[in-house]
Amino acid sequence: MKTIPFAPLDPSVYRQIVRRALAEDLGWGDVTTEATVPGDTRGCGTIVVKAPCVLAGLDVAAEAFRQLDPAVHITLRLQDGDRSAAGAIAAEVRGAAALMLTAERTALNFLQRLSGVATLSAQFVDAVRGTRARIVDTRKTTPGWRRLEKYAVRCGGGGAG
């Protein structure tokens, strides 16, 4: 694993983004989970890397779980900026099963998109290694996600533009 040459995102950067994403995703609620999982059921789950990548957004994903269940216990096994092989366990989550299932899609949406940005950035960084070229982020970001996507570029080894 590599040393991360940058500070993690301050939670104030992503709390509202996560809150809005959960509200949009949940709308009228999670009827499937509500109908199938008793409210007092405890559960555990793992976030498994499905393809080789550079991770980004683990804290953002964890925030989705925490917003629905402040008592959730999350153990990060990897860090943002780590290059990971398929099959690696990035994180473990333990808490109220229904709340974990409800937060899962939003958490994974953040983690997958930001890891995709970091992975592509790393590919470009690797491609220009040994040259004078430098990979930097852009202001052409997804509306509302600017700081998250710029952070993901740094996770992939790119710089601030």
Side-chain angles (χ1 to χ4, degrees), residues 46-49 55 58 75-79 84 87-92 111:
T46 56
I47 297 176
V48 179
V49 176
L55 288 165
L58 284 163
T75 303
L76 299 181
R77 298 287 181 208
L78 298 172
Q79 300 176 44
S84 178
I89 296 175
E92 296 171 346
L111 187 56

Side-chain angles (χ1 to χ4, degrees), residues 2-159:
K2 72 178 187 111
T3 302
I4 300 174
F6 50 87
L9 280 172
D10 185 297
S12 67
V13 170
Y14 54 80
R15 269 197 190 113
Q16 286 292 52
I17 297 168
V18 170
R19 187 169 285 114
R20 285 191 304 271
L22 285 167
E24 180 180 325
D25 183 51
L26 297 177
W28 294 97
D30 183 352
V31 294
T32 303
T33 298
E34 290 169 11
T36 60
V37 180
D40 60 349
T41 302
R42 306 288 297 162
C44 62
T46 56
I47 297 176
V48 179
V49 176
K50 295 294 185 180
C53 69
V54 176
L55 288 165
L58 284 163
D59 287 336
V60 183
E63 179 69 15
F65 291 108
R66 285 189 188 104
Q67 284 191 17
L68 293 187
D69 180 4
V72 71
H73 180 74
I74 301 166
T75 303
L76 299 181
R77 298 287 181 208
L78 298 172
Q79 300 176 44
D80 286 350
D82 284 347
R83 290 181 183 238
S84 178
I89 296 175
E92 296 171 346
V93 184
R94 296 182 186 282
L99 297 174
M100 286 173 32
L101 287 170
T102 300
E104 174 194 26
R105 177 53 29 215
T106 299
L108 292 179
N109 283 342
F110 281 109
L111 187 56
Q112 290 169 341
R113 179 168 181 93
L114 294 174
S115 293
V117 170
T119 301
L120 187 58
S121 297
Q123 290 171 355
F124 282 111
V125 168
D126 291 347
V128 301
R129 188 164 279 120
T131 72
R132 292 184 0 201
R134 199 172 132 232
I135 303 302
V136 297
D137 60 29
T138 176
R139 65 181 180 82
K140 297 175 182 145
T141 58
T142 306
W145 283 55
R146 176 168 295 186
R147 293 193 54 198
L148 295 177
E149 290 177 344
K150 287 176 168 283
Y151 170 77
V153 170
R154 291 194 319 275
C155 288

